[in-house]
Amino acid sequence: MGFQVGSALLDACVLSVLQREDTYGYVLTQTLKSELGISESTLYPVLKRLQRDACLTTYDQAWQGRNRRYYAITEKGSEQVKAYRRDWESYRNNVDKLLYGGDLGE
Amino acid sequence: MNRAEFMAELERQLARIDERERAEAIAYYNEYFDEAGPENEARVIAELGSPVRVAAQIKADAAVKGMGKTEAPPVKKGISTIWIVLLGILALPIAIPVAIALLGAVIGLLASVFAVIVALVAAVVAVCGGGVLAFIAGAAVLFTHAPTGIFYMGGGLAATGIALLLGILVFAASRALVGGVARLLDGIRVKGRERHERKAGERNDG
């Protein structure tokens, strides 16, 4: 993809995916990789940061004799998603106006 | 590069970050490889790129976290710059000798560390050289007086061997010593700055 995904957009996407269901690093990475084209090593620091900011928590679950670390969104993370969605909508409208034309004077 | 090599290199690259952070990162990427399965191992390694780059991303994040922790105290703007400059000028007669003394202490410390390392290396070289000479001397008299020759040759080999072992120890000790001094100086520098900031904060509060 020709567009760079900034950290705010990436945070918003990670939190939104987690809002649907808890999941673990590999699935999360594959999901975002196929949709946004991010590289496989991008996500770990993002998850760490969101965890530190209390937007998500983790819990461990045994699976086939080893550990799977699941990520779950928190109350604060859900609030953050709402704010991100508002920002995204106005941003998208502005970009749409620039890309497809329309009245820029208003 | 296979998975084991990748993980070993990653761990080495992360040697300097906090132990828990490192363990978490290693666990994350181990789990990642497990989930991908052995059939995808090569693809995952290719996409992750070099362990150095992966480690850099983790370290950059750890550094940001560290910055948040040692946030400088907020400086009030109430005090005028002229007073700070005046205070600085008045403090010069004390500050300069103190700075010179500190510099002298640091240079002395570095010189003594250097001297110790040089002495140790010299001792190792001397024992090693002595061993080699004894071996040569032993070989020279081997055919005129066999027991003496064998004695000196054996002694020489033993001395050389011990010297080589000592050399390894000295190398490790030197590294530890230099590292320790570097950390010490770094610690002094950081503490000094913290104290300076704290003082500035108190002065502004008063």
Side-chain angles (χ1 to χ4, degrees), chain A residues 24-27 29-30 33 38-49 51-52 63 66-71, chain B residues 20-22 24-26 28-29 31-37 40 43-44 47-48 53-54 57-58 61-62 64-65:
Chain A
Y24 48 96
Y26 184 75
V27 166
T29 303
Q30 297 306 316
K33 201 176 86 176
I38 59 161
S39 86
E40 307 224 7
S41 60
T42 307
L43 213 54
Y44 180 73
V46 173
L47 289 170
K48 288 293 294 181
R49 188 179 63 238
Q51 189 183 355
R52 201 156 55 234
W63 189 81
R66 57 183 179 77
N67 186 50
R68 245 180 201 171
R69 174 155 291 185
Y70 278 82
Y71 295 86
Chain B
R20 232 190 59 199
E21 297 270 341
R22 181 170 60 242
E24 277 188 17
I26 295 297
Y28 178 91
Y29 279 108
E31 184 190 315
Y32 198 89
F33 273 111
D34 283 338
E35 298 294 349
N40 288 319
R43 181 186 61 80
V44 169
E47 290 207 23
L48 283 175
R53 206 178 64 101
V54 174
Q57 285 179 313
I58 297 167
D61 187 59
V64 169
K65 180 187 172 192

